[in-house]
Amino acid sequence: MMLLSQQNKHIRGRRISVATELSIAGSINSTCFSLFPMVIMLILFLLWLVQCLRHFITVYLDEDLNQQRTQVMQELAHMTEEQSFGSWGAVLWTAVQQCLFWALAGSLIVLLALYWWLRKRVREVENRRDSESEESEEENPADRNMTWVFSRRFQLSVPKLAARRRVVQELLSDLLRVSHSLFSDSFFPVLEPVIGVGSACEGWSPHKEEDIVYCMFVPLKPPRGHAFHLEPDCTGEMPQTSMRVRVELVCTCTGEQPDQNMLCFLHHSEQELKRNQVASLLHTLCTGPYLDGEKIALWFQTFVISAWSMLPQSHRYSMKVLPSCRSCKMKLMKASGRSLFVETVFSVQQGDSDIFLSSQPPEAHLPPSTTWLESYAVAEAKFFRHVAMQAPPHSCHLKCLRLCARILEGSGLSIYALKTTVMHLLTLIPPSEWQHKYLLLRVDDTMRYLRCCLEEKRLKHFFFDNEDMPQEISLPPAFQGAQPLNLFQHLARDPAAQTEALKKFDDLQYNFYFGF
């Protein structure tokens, strides 16, 4: 723990060295604006000159027409031809004059509008440059160039995440609306509004754009006449994080508003229930008295396939349900060939907290279908929304996550360990120190913190016994003062694995910085 405490002090006390950057853009802009009025005056002078020429030409034409009339009176044989030629010539010349005048007037208006637009834009740029110059006084030009190179090479920004996340949320909201109308008279679980979780919904992703999966939690509530009770699952390998959801039948005969349209499962005979009412949840999506994640996934997959044609999205996308035993994975394809991957995970909320039980287990561990694992994904998404509200504009914490994930590819360290590290740092380092110009410093802090954790074989879980937890995040009372989970417990049990992890970490970090 000494290394971690020293690292925390080092992070809290770091200050950025000051460097000054000169710019001549302001003088160039002022020179341009001083010349611009002269150009306007020159255009006005040209317009005045055109008017003078017009007056002179008009007078000359009048005299010419008088002479032509005299000649016409003398030469009757050529009267029609001369008058026709003179009249048409005057008309054409007048039209040319009018066109020239209005063309110049229109050009002047356009130039004036352009002048005011450029003036407004330059003022905005100068204001932004002033604000950035105050920040960049401490920024190293070499660091700024490296930040730009990293952003280009590793595509640290994923601007389409928010737009595609909204498409997915709208799709699932429409699906749930259809489910409520189809299953209103049944006793399947009530599907609550979706909650976006995972890196793609937090604003970053370790994957390439075409491989991103948008994960959505669908909380389950008990239907009428049923109740959910959470029980610790002592049969699993992780009893502190796995539970089972026991389904119980409750009486619907009494209460403030007894349901007259259903029979009570407790006080009506089995024959009467079979004859006049659909089966209870215990007889459809449960194994014994416990909610079964595999049965729920199969039920929802079947529903999605049958209800797809009812959705407006079916006109824009073709849909394919991908194989999955504990969730519903969908692949949406546009006519252009672009694909969108969606995963719907079923969850049960623990009381009123932001901690849920998830039907989708980790890939490396597949417990029984009635075992639901504790998930902190909703609390994590809520934490990143809290950080986004506190952080300065163009904060670098999401780019830091994405860049570190690219650095650690092939290290064997989980993305969750990296995200936990950054969440700890977001509570240790003030928001002002997460400006974009500090990206490389924050990456260095993350890598140092993570290496200290590898050396000590201990990475504390973020949501257990954390005094810096934002008040917006609701946790079960047992989390406060509880013994925090160690995400590197497997390294503490296996020294050889720790040695191998440190070697891979150092090699990847060296190759990234010196093999770039």
Side-chain angles (χ1 to χ4, degrees):
M1 296 298 295
M2 290 295 295
L3 288 174
L4 280 177
S5 61
Q6 292 175 1
Q7 180 64 15
N8 290 344
K9 292 180 180 179
H10 169 74
I11 291 170
R12 292 180 186 273
R14 173 172 290 179
R15 292 295 180 267
I16 315 302
S17 60
V18 178
T20 306
E21 184 178 289
L22 297 177
S23 174
I24 61 171
S27 60
I28 294 175
N29 290 332
S30 61
T31 304
C32 292
F33 280 113
S34 63
L35 293 176
F36 207 94
M38 298 177 63
V39 175
I40 299 299
M41 294 299 296
L42 179 61
I43 294 174
L44 292 174
F45 173 77
L46 291 175
L47 285 175
W48 175 80
L49 183 61
V50 168
Q51 289 290 348
C52 292
L53 290 174
R54 181 186 177 191
H55 177 73
F56 174 78
I57 293 172
T58 301
V59 174
Y60 176 78
L61 281 178
D62 289 340
E63 294 178 357
D64 185 67
L65 288 174
N66 290 333
Q67 292 178 2
Q68 287 181 1
R69 292 191 187 97
T70 303
Q71 292 177 2
V72 166
M73 294 297 295
Q74 295 176 356
E75 301 178 2
L76 295 177
H78 303 285
M79 178 181 62
T80 303
E81 181 179 357
E82 292 294 335
Q83 283 182 347
S84 176
F85 177 80
S87 299
W88 281 106
V91 170
L92 291 174
W93 180 246
T94 302
V96 170
Q97 289 177 329
Q98 293 292 331
C99 290
L100 181 61
F101 172 76
W102 288 112
L104 289 173
S107 300
L108 178 61
I109 293 173
V110 171
L111 286 172
L112 286 172
L114 180 63
Y115 165 74
W116 288 112
W117 181 81
L118 287 173
R119 184 177 181 182
K120 181 180 178 181
R121 290 293 297 168
V122 169
R123 283 181 177 178
E124 292 177 356
V125 171
E126 286 179 345
N127 292 336
R128 186 160 60 247
R129 182 184 293 115
D130 291 342
S131 62
E132 291 178 354
S133 63
E134 294 177 0
E135 298 176 354
S136 62
E137 287 178 356
E138 301 178 353
E139 185 177 9
N140 191 330
D143 289 346
R144 187 167 61 251
N145 293 336
M146 288 296 293
T147 301
W148 183 86
V149 171
F150 288 148
S151 299
R152 289 287 184 176
R153 178 176 178 182
F154 296 107
Q155 300 177 358
L156 300 185
S157 297
V158 191
K160 296 181 181 179
L161 282 178
R164 294 188 176 184
R165 182 174 66 248
R166 286 191 294 269
V167 170
V168 173
Q169 289 177 330
E170 182 180 354
L171 166 67
L172 290 179
S173 297
D174 292 342
L175 267 175
L176 297 188
R177 194 176 301 112
V178 174
S179 74
H180 294 158
S181 62
L182 290 179
F183 304 130
S184 60
D185 296 329
S186 67
F187 298 100
F188 291 116
V190 179
L191 306 178
E192 294 288 295
V194 298
I195 305 173
V197 298
S199 60
C201 295
E202 293 162 357
W204 70 285
S205 176
H207 308 293
K208 295 180 180 179
E209 186 175 340
E210 60 272 14
D211 298 329
I212 293 175
V213 178
Y214 294 84
C215 184
M216 297 286 164
F217 266 20
V218 177
L220 305 179
K221 293 291 185 180
R224 298 166 297 163
H226 298 73
F228 289 165
H229 297 279
L230 307 184
E231 297 180 353
D233 181 17
C234 299
T235 62
E237 296 181 2
M238 297 179 294
Q240 73 276 15
T241 59
S242 61
M243 304 185 80
R244 293 190 294 180
V245 182
R246 182 165 52 88
V247 179
E248 286 188 355
L249 299 176
V250 296
C251 177
T252 57
C253 299
T254 59
E256 296 181 0
Q257 294 181 347
D259 195 338
Q260 303 295 334
N261 297 323
M262 68 170 289
L263 302 177
C264 179
F265 287 108
L266 297 179
H267 299 104
H268 286 80
S269 65
E270 186 175 348
Q271 291 77 12
E272 190 177 3
L273 290 172
K274 287 182 179 180
R275 186 170 58 250
N276 300 317
Q277 190 164 270
V278 296
S280 70
L281 179 60
L282 282 170
H283 295 91
T284 54
L285 302 180
C286 291
T287 296
Y290 298 106
L291 203 59
D292 192 307
E294 289 187 3
K295 291 182 178 180
I296 292 175
L298 181 59
W299 163 70
F300 191 80
Q301 292 169 12
T302 305
F303 157 69
V304 169
I305 294 173
S306 61
W308 178 252
S309 59
M310 305 179 189
L311 303 179
Q313 289 84 355
S314 62
H315 301 293
R316 302 192 302 270
Y317 296 93
S318 61
M319 186 274 299
K320 180 181 179 182
V321 175
L322 303 178
S324 177
C325 62
R326 303 289 178 90
S327 65
C328 181
K329 295 181 179 179
M330 294 178 284
K331 180 181 181 181
L332 307 179
M333 294 163 288
K334 274 191 172 183
S336 60
R338 286 195 171 185
S339 300
L340 193 62
F341 295 93
V342 183
E343 182 176 19
T344 304
V345 178
F346 311 102
S347 60
V348 177
Q349 187 177 14
Q350 293 194 40
D352 296 327
S353 70
D354 294 320
I355 306 301
F356 286 71
L357 299 178
S358 168
S359 65
Q360 179 71 353
E363 296 181 359
H365 179 70
L366 189 64
S369 58
T370 56
T371 297
W372 296 65
L373 298 184
E374 201 167 53
S375 172
Y376 317 96
V378 175
E380 291 163 7
K382 205 168 183 178
F383 173 77
F384 278 100
R385 287 196 297 270
H386 167 79
V387 170
M389 295 177 61
Q390 303 293 326
H394 309 294
S395 175
C396 68
H397 65 283
L398 297 179
K399 287 188 176 182
C400 177
L401 266 168
R402 188 165 169 82
L403 180 54
C404 289
R406 300 299 297 272
I407 296 174
L408 296 175
E409 283 183 353
S411 67
L413 292 174
S414 67
I415 293 296
Y416 192 75
L418 170 63
K419 186 163 72 169
T420 300
T421 298
V422 174
M423 288 193 294
H424 280 301
L425 291 177
L426 284 168
T427 60
L428 291 172
I429 301 176
S432 60
E433 298 293 320
W434 288 93
Q435 299 177 53
H436 186 266
K437 61 182 180 179
Y438 300 139
L439 172 60
L440 296 184
L441 293 174
R442 300 292 80 83
V443 170
D444 184 61
D445 290 338
T446 303
M447 302 300 285
R448 288 174 180 269
Y449 191 100
L450 196 52
R451 197 184 192 289
C452 288
C453 292
L454 285 173
E455 290 180 359
E456 295 193 352
K457 298 171 286 188
R458 182 173 182 80
L459 176 58
K460 177 183 174 183
H461 197 286
F462 184 73
F463 291 103
F464 285 86
D465 193 27
N466 190 342
E467 297 178 355
D468 298 322
M469 187 65 56
Q471 295 182 354
E472 294 88 345
I473 298 177
S474 176
L475 299 176
F479 278 47
Q480 296 298 329
Q483 182 67 26
L485 299 177
N486 180 15
L487 299 183
F488 285 166
Q489 185 64 36
H490 62 289
L491 299 180
R493 292 194 301 261
D494 189 352
Q498 182 217 13
T499 303
E500 181 66 19
L502 279 171
K503 183 178 183 303
K504 286 185 177 180
F505 184 91
D506 293 338
D507 291 344
L508 287 171
Q509 193 172 12
Y510 179 87
N511 291 335
F512 178 80
Y513 285 110
F514 299 101
F516 188 83

